Amino acid sequence: MSVRSHRWATLLATAGIAALALSGCAQQNTAAPAASAAPVQKVENLPAPFDGAPVKVALVQQSGAGDFFTAWTAGAKAQAAAINIDLTVFDARNDNAKQASDLEQAIASKPAAIIVDHGQTDTIESHVHDAVAAGIPVIVYDLALNDPTGVIVTSQSDASMAQGVLDQLVADVGDGAKVGLASTDGFAPLERRKKVWDEVVAEHDLDQVFFTGKVTESTATDNIPLIDAALKANPGIQAIFAPYDEITKGVVQAVQQNNLQDKVKVYGIDISNADIEVMTADGSPWVATSATDPSAVGAGVVRALALSLAGQLDETTVQFPAITITRDFLLEKGITNVAQLREAEPSLLLSDTVVADWLPAISG
């Protein structure tokens, strides 16, 4: 099978589309100037305010387990370095109270702008409003705000991502199939993806026999026993939708432990080098995923902020399009990592999303 691309408008005029964090890592306190992992060529002829002293920007993030967050941050750092942004990174790593404290510290430092990457609404939104009240431009990614007034909101299209991979699920197993959902409540991205799942289940008369899963500091490992129990209690399962790659990896291990890889197909969301390794392994049941390139998305968030600071962004929301990627496509193309996937699917680079003549897309 080939990749089936799903492209949507990159700038949408609605507000409040961002999501809560899918956090799951051990705590670590960081607040250090960013530096790209590889040399980045500086962009020439930058407009104000990037044509003078470095523009100080704070990135206040709530990262979690897996390659997604590492790649996202690398992309943000690379884009910032290319356009004269001095990026200081605060990473609360699954500590909600620390993220709130980090944002307070960032506000006190009076940067030119603040990026908030992920977070829990109840602990971080009031501080976002404090930053806006202090006259500091704020852009958020995957953070659900009850009131996004004065904030640039960015996100992946969770509904479109879910629809793309679930279209593949239905094409593979057909109407009326016996299926399970590996996810959890309480996280906005997962809830939006579940809404699409519920619609697809109803439309295609799928027989959902279980809904289990959780997000923890060891998401992949902690989901293995949950899925193992669900598989043993529900023989005859044909497909499982696991709409977060750390959960997906746990599902894959549980399916393999039960020797069901030839009978149960697994469908995920997100992509990373580790995900590609799991998908392309011999006998892997993970047959499709829907994703953006997290490095390109991190860079895209920085570009959206840069356009805003330069007075060239008319929208208040930016959404990054995704593609659906099948295991068959990865195997046919001999793809073993995200770099090769970008070459096969250049749209992942978001080269036409929130760019300008002076602001080309750069990712880590």
Side-chain angles (χ1 to χ4, degrees):
M1 273 177 229
S2 63
V3 170
R4 296 182 300 116
S5 298
H6 299 269
R7 309 209 189 327
W8 304 275
T10 58
L11 296 177
L12 304 180
T14 56
I17 57 174
L20 296 180
L22 297 178
S23 302
C25 252
Q27 314 305 328
Q28 177 178 330
N29 299 342
T30 62
S36 178
V40 174
Q41 184 175 356
K42 303 287 186 178
V43 176
E44 302 294 335
N45 301 316
L46 294 168
F50 306 102
D51 56 349
V55 177
K56 293 187 179 297
V57 173
L59 169 57
V60 179
Q61 62 183 171
Q62 176 72 293
S63 73
D67 291 348
F68 179 95
F69 295 96
T70 300
W72 193 101
T73 306
K77 290 178 177 180
Q79 188 72 65
I83 56 174
N84 200 29
I85 287 178
D86 179 4
L87 189 69
T88 299
V89 179
F90 301 81
D91 190 352
R93 296 184 67 88
N94 204 38
D95 185 333
N96 294 325
K98 185 178 187 304
Q99 189 186 24
S101 176
D102 286 345
L103 185 48
E104 290 176 345
Q105 184 179 344
I107 294 169
S109 72
K110 299 181 180 180
I114 295 174
I115 301 168
V116 181
D117 169 32
H118 291 87
Q120 296 288 338
T121 307
D122 57 351
T123 57
I124 204 70
E125 179 165 11
S126 64
H127 301 289
V128 170
H129 294 315
D130 289 343
V132 173
I136 301 172
V138 178
I139 185 169
V140 302
Y141 176 76
D142 254 359
L143 171 64
L145 296 177
N146 295 313
D147 178 9
T149 303
V151 179
I152 299 169
V153 177
T154 69
S155 74
Q156 301 176 106
S157 173
D158 290 297
S160 296
M161 293 174 81
Q163 189 67 58
V165 77
L166 290 175
D167 286 346
Q168 185 67 53
L169 182 153
V170 172
D172 290 345
V173 301
D175 291 359
K178 193 172 184 179
V179 298
L181 174 63
S183 188
T184 188
D185 294 321
F187 296 91
L190 296 183
E191 290 180 350
R192 280 197 290 270
R193 295 166 192 177
K194 183 178 183 297
K195 181 179 179 180
V196 178
W197 163 261
D198 291 340
E199 293 169 353
V200 170
V201 167
E203 180 181 354
H204 294 278
D205 196 28
L206 298 177
D207 180 13
Q208 180 182 323
V209 296
F210 71 78
F211 171 23
T212 188
K214 58 184 175 181
V215 173
T216 69
E217 292 187 0
S218 303
T219 299
T221 301
D222 289 346
N223 276 277
I224 296 172
L226 299 178
I227 304 305
D228 178 75
L231 290 169
K232 286 179 167 60
N234 299 282
I237 289 284
Q238 295 169 259
I240 300 173
F241 179 44
Y244 171 35
D245 62 342
E246 290 304 304
I247 296 178
T248 316
K249 285 184 277 193
V251 171
V252 167
Q253 291 188 59
V255 169
Q256 292 173 325
Q257 285 180 184
N258 283 273
N259 294 315
L260 294 172
Q261 55 267 32
D262 294 329
K263 298 179 180 179
V264 180
K265 299 180 185 297
V266 178
Y267 299 81
I269 285 183
D270 299 324
I271 198 72
S272 69
N273 289 340
D275 296 340
I276 291 174
E277 183 177 359
V278 173
M279 289 183 73
T280 57
D282 289 345
S284 175
W286 188 351
V287 298
T289 194
S290 189
T292 59
D293 175 355
S295 177
V297 170
V301 172
V302 172
R303 291 198 305 277
L305 174 62
L307 287 173
S308 178
L309 293 177
Q312 297 179 22
L313 183 68
D314 296 329
E315 313 301 326
T316 58
T317 63
V318 177
Q319 202 166 69
F320 301 105
I323 64 172
T324 297
I325 304 154
T326 66
R327 179 174 186 269
D328 286 347
F329 176 84
L330 295 175
L331 292 173
E332 288 169 6
K333 298 293 184 180
I335 293 170
T336 61
N337 56 54
V338 172
Q340 293 172 348
L341 181 60
R342 290 181 191 131
E343 293 181 4
E345 271 293 324
S347 63
L348 284 170
L349 293 170
L350 301 177
S351 299
D352 298 324
T353 303
V354 283
V355 294
D357 291 342
W358 60 273
L359 186 61
I362 295 171
S363 60

Short mmCIF file of all heavy atoms in Angstrom, two decimals, residues 248-279:
data_model
loop_
_atom_site.label_atom_id
_atom_site.label_comp_id
_atom_site.label_asym_id
_atom_site.label_seq_id
_atom_site.Cartn_x
_atom_site.Cartn_y
_atom_site.Cartn_z
N THR A 248 0.53 2.79 21.66
CA THR A 248 0.60 1.85 20.53
C THR A 248 1.71 0.83 20.74
O THR A 248 1.53 -0.37 20.49
CB THR A 248 0.83 2.59 19.21
OG1 THR A 248 0.00 3.74 19.12
CG2 THR A 248 0.56 1.68 18.03
N LYS A 249 2.87 1.30 21.19
CA LYS A 249 4.00 0.38 21.39
C LYS A 249 3.69 -0.65 22.47
O LYS A 249 4.09 -1.82 22.35
CB LYS A 249 5.26 1.18 21.70
CG LYS A 249 5.84 1.86 20.46
CD LYS A 249 7.14 2.58 20.73
CE LYS A 249 6.93 3.95 21.30
NZ LYS A 249 8.17 4.78 21.27
N GLY A 250 2.98 -0.24 23.51
CA GLY A 250 2.57 -1.21 24.52
C GLY A 250 1.59 -2.22 23.97
O GLY A 250 1.66 -3.42 24.30
N VAL A 251 0.67 -1.76 23.12
CA VAL A 251 -0.30 -2.65 22.49
C VAL A 251 0.42 -3.68 21.62
O VAL A 251 0.10 -4.88 21.65
CB VAL A 251 -1.32 -1.84 21.66
CG1 VAL A 251 -2.19 -2.78 20.82
CG2 VAL A 251 -2.19 -0.98 22.57
N VAL A 252 1.38 -3.22 20.83
CA VAL A 252 2.13 -4.12 19.95
C VAL A 252 2.79 -5.23 20.78
O VAL A 252 2.72 -6.42 20.43
CB VAL A 252 3.18 -3.35 19.14
CG1 VAL A 252 4.17 -4.31 18.47
CG2 VAL A 252 2.51 -2.47 18.09
N GLN A 253 3.42 -4.85 21.90
CA GLN A 253 4.08 -5.87 22.72
C GLN A 253 3.09 -6.87 23.30
O GLN A 253 3.37 -8.07 23.35
CB GLN A 253 4.86 -5.18 23.84
CG GLN A 253 6.07 -4.40 23.36
CD GLN A 253 6.91 -3.89 24.51
OE1 GLN A 253 7.40 -4.64 25.33
NE2 GLN A 253 7.08 -2.57 24.57
N ALA A 254 1.93 -6.38 23.73
CA ALA A 254 0.92 -7.28 24.28
C ALA A 254 0.40 -8.25 23.23
O ALA A 254 0.22 -9.44 23.49
CB ALA A 254 -0.23 -6.48 24.88
N VAL A 255 0.17 -7.75 22.03
CA VAL A 255 -0.29 -8.61 20.93
C VAL A 255 0.74 -9.69 20.63
O VAL A 255 0.41 -10.88 20.46
CB VAL A 255 -0.59 -7.76 19.68
CG1 VAL A 255 -0.81 -8.66 18.45
CG2 VAL A 255 -1.82 -6.88 19.91
N GLN A 256 2.00 -9.29 20.60
CA GLN A 256 3.06 -10.26 20.29
C GLN A 256 3.24 -11.27 21.42
O GLN A 256 3.48 -12.46 21.17
CB GLN A 256 4.36 -9.52 20.01
CG GLN A 256 4.32 -8.71 18.72
CD GLN A 256 5.54 -7.85 18.51
OE1 GLN A 256 6.11 -7.31 19.46
NE2 GLN A 256 5.94 -7.68 17.25
N GLN A 257 3.10 -10.82 22.67
CA GLN A 257 3.21 -11.75 23.80
C GLN A 257 2.14 -12.83 23.74
O GLN A 257 2.36 -13.96 24.21
CB GLN A 257 3.09 -10.97 25.12
CG GLN A 257 4.34 -10.19 25.48
CD GLN A 257 4.19 -9.43 26.79
OE1 GLN A 257 5.08 -8.71 27.18
NE2 GLN A 257 3.08 -9.59 27.46
N ASN A 258 1.01 -12.50 23.15
CA ASN A 258 -0.09 -13.46 23.03
C ASN A 258 -0.06 -14.20 21.69
O ASN A 258 -1.01 -14.92 21.38
CB ASN A 258 -1.42 -12.74 23.20
CG ASN A 258 -1.73 -12.41 24.65
OD1 ASN A 258 -2.29 -13.21 25.37
ND2 ASN A 258 -1.33 -11.22 25.09
N ASN A 259 1.01 -13.99 20.92
CA ASN A 259 1.17 -14.65 19.62
C ASN A 259 -0.02 -14.39 18.69
O ASN A 259 -0.48 -15.29 17.98
CB ASN A 259 1.39 -16.16 19.81
CG ASN A 259 2.70 -16.47 20.50
OD1 ASN A 259 3.73 -15.91 20.17
ND2 ASN A 259 2.64 -17.37 21.48
N LEU A 260 -0.51 -13.16 18.72
CA LEU A 260 -1.67 -12.79 17.90
C LEU A 260 -1.30 -11.84 16.77
O LEU A 260 -2.18 -11.26 16.15
CB LEU A 260 -2.75 -12.14 18.79
CG LEU A 260 -3.40 -13.05 19.83
CD1 LEU A 260 -4.29 -12.23 20.76
CD2 LEU A 260 -4.20 -14.14 19.14
N GLN A 261 -0.01 -11.68 16.49
CA GLN A 261 0.41 -10.71 15.48
C GLN A 261 -0.11 -11.02 14.08
O GLN A 261 -0.18 -10.12 13.24
CB GLN A 261 1.93 -10.57 15.45
CG GLN A 261 2.69 -11.87 15.24
CD GLN A 261 3.07 -12.52 16.56
OE1 GLN A 261 2.37 -12.40 17.56
NE2 GLN A 261 4.20 -13.22 16.56
N ASP A 262 -0.49 -12.27 13.83
CA ASP A 262 -1.05 -12.61 12.52
C ASP A 262 -2.57 -12.47 12.49
O ASP A 262 -3.19 -12.63 11.44
CB ASP A 262 -0.68 -14.05 12.14
CG ASP A 262 0.82 -14.23 11.93
OD1 ASP A 262 1.47 -13.25 11.49
OD2 ASP A 262 1.34 -15.33 12.21
N LYS A 263 -3.16 -12.15 13.65
CA LYS A 263 -4.62 -12.07 13.72
C LYS A 263 -5.14 -10.69 14.13
O LYS A 263 -6.27 -10.33 13.80
CB LYS A 263 -5.14 -13.12 14.72
CG LYS A 263 -4.82 -14.56 14.33
CD LYS A 263 -5.34 -15.54 15.37
CE LYS A 263 -5.02 -16.98 14.97
NZ LYS A 263 -5.51 -17.96 15.99
N VAL A 264 -4.33 -9.93 14.86
CA VAL A 264 -4.77 -8.63 15.37
C VAL A 264 -3.94 -7.52 14.72
O VAL A 264 -2.71 -7.51 14.85
CB VAL A 264 -4.62 -8.56 16.91
CG1 VAL A 264 -5.09 -7.19 17.41
CG2 VAL A 264 -5.42 -9.67 17.57
N LYS A 265 -4.61 -6.60 14.06
CA LYS A 265 -3.95 -5.46 13.44
C LYS A 265 -4.01 -4.27 14.40
O LYS A 265 -5.02 -4.04 15.05
CB LYS A 265 -4.61 -5.09 12.11
CG LYS A 265 -4.55 -6.20 11.07
CD LYS A 265 -5.22 -5.76 9.78
CE LYS A 265 -5.29 -6.90 8.76
NZ LYS A 265 -3.95 -7.34 8.34
N VAL A 266 -2.91 -3.51 14.47
CA VAL A 266 -2.82 -2.38 15.38
C VAL A 266 -2.68 -1.09 14.58
O VAL A 266 -1.91 -1.03 13.61
CB VAL A 266 -1.62 -2.54 16.35
CG1 VAL A 266 -1.49 -1.34 17.27
CG2 VAL A 266 -1.76 -3.84 17.15
N TYR A 267 -3.42 -0.05 15.00
CA TYR A 267 -3.43 1.24 14.32
C TYR A 267 -3.10 2.33 15.33
O TYR A 267 -3.72 2.41 16.39
CB TYR A 267 -4.80 1.49 13.68
CG TYR A 267 -5.14 0.44 12.65
CD1 TYR A 267 -5.65 -0.81 13.04
CD2 TYR A 267 -4.91 0.66 11.29
CE1 TYR A 267 -5.92 -1.79 12.11
CE2 TYR A 267 -5.19 -0.33 10.35
CZ TYR A 267 -5.69 -1.55 10.76
OH TYR A 267 -5.95 -2.53 9.84
N GLY A 268 -2.11 3.16 15.01
CA GLY A 268 -1.66 4.17 15.95
C GLY A 268 -1.73 5.57 15.40
O GLY A 268 -2.25 5.82 14.31
N ILE A 269 -1.18 6.50 16.19
CA ILE A 269 -1.01 7.89 15.77
C ILE A 269 0.35 8.35 16.28
O ILE A 269 0.75 8.00 17.39
CB ILE A 269 -2.15 8.79 16.29
CG1 ILE A 269 -3.42 8.54 15.47
CG2 ILE A 269 -1.78 10.26 16.25
CD1 ILE A 269 -4.61 9.40 15.83
N ASP A 270 1.04 9.14 15.47
CA ASP A 270 2.39 9.68 15.70
C ASP A 270 3.42 8.81 14.99
O ASP A 270 3.16 7.64 14.66
CB ASP A 270 2.75 9.80 17.18
CG ASP A 270 1.82 10.76 17.94
OD1 ASP A 270 1.41 11.76 17.34
OD2 ASP A 270 1.52 10.48 19.11
N ILE A 271 4.61 9.41 14.80
CA ILE A 271 5.70 8.70 14.14
C ILE A 271 7.02 9.18 14.73
O ILE A 271 7.15 10.34 15.11
CB ILE A 271 5.68 8.91 12.60
CG1 ILE A 271 6.53 7.85 11.89
CG2 ILE A 271 6.13 10.31 12.24
CD1 ILE A 271 5.93 6.48 11.89
N SER A 272 7.97 8.27 14.84
CA SER A 272 9.33 8.59 15.30
C SER A 272 10.24 7.49 14.79
O SER A 272 9.78 6.49 14.22
CB SER A 272 9.38 8.64 16.82
OG SER A 272 9.21 7.34 17.37
N ASN A 273 11.55 7.66 14.98
CA ASN A 273 12.47 6.60 14.59
C ASN A 273 12.14 5.30 15.30
O ASN A 273 12.14 4.22 14.70
CB ASN A 273 13.91 7.02 14.91
CG ASN A 273 14.42 8.12 14.01
OD1 ASN A 273 13.89 8.35 12.92
ND2 ASN A 273 15.44 8.83 14.46
N ALA A 274 11.83 5.39 16.60
CA ALA A 274 11.49 4.19 17.35
C ALA A 274 10.20 3.57 16.84
O ALA A 274 10.08 2.33 16.75
CB ALA A 274 11.36 4.53 18.84
N ASP A 275 9.22 4.41 16.49
CA ASP A 275 7.96 3.88 15.95
C ASP A 275 8.19 3.15 14.64
O ASP A 275 7.62 2.07 14.41
CB ASP A 275 6.96 5.02 15.73
CG ASP A 275 6.55 5.72 17.02
OD1 ASP A 275 6.71 5.12 18.09
OD2 ASP A 275 6.07 6.86 16.93
N ILE A 276 9.01 3.73 13.78
CA ILE A 276 9.29 3.09 12.49
C ILE A 276 9.97 1.75 12.70
O ILE A 276 9.68 0.76 12.01
CB ILE A 276 10.15 4.02 11.60
CG1 ILE A 276 9.32 5.24 11.17
CG2 ILE A 276 10.67 3.27 10.37
CD1 ILE A 276 10.10 6.29 10.42
N GLU A 277 10.88 1.69 13.67
CA GLU A 277 11.54 0.41 13.97
C GLU A 277 10.53 -0.64 14.40
O GLU A 277 10.61 -1.80 13.97
CB GLU A 277 12.59 0.62 15.08
CG GLU A 277 13.37 -0.62 15.41
CD GLU A 277 14.44 -0.39 16.46
OE1 GLU A 277 14.58 0.76 16.93
OE2 GLU A 277 15.14 -1.36 16.82
N VAL A 278 9.56 -0.25 15.22
CA VAL A 278 8.53 -1.19 15.67
C VAL A 278 7.64 -1.60 14.50
O VAL A 278 7.33 -2.79 14.32
CB VAL A 278 7.68 -0.57 16.79
CG1 VAL A 278 6.50 -1.49 17.14
CG2 VAL A 278 8.54 -0.32 18.03
N MET A 279 7.23 -0.64 13.68
CA MET A 279 6.33 -0.94 12.56
C MET A 279 6.96 -1.87 11.54
O MET A 279 6.27 -2.72 10.96
CB MET A 279 5.88 0.35 11.88
CG MET A 279 4.92 1.20 12.69
SD MET A 279 4.37 2.69 11.78
CE MET A 279 3.26 1.96 10.56
#
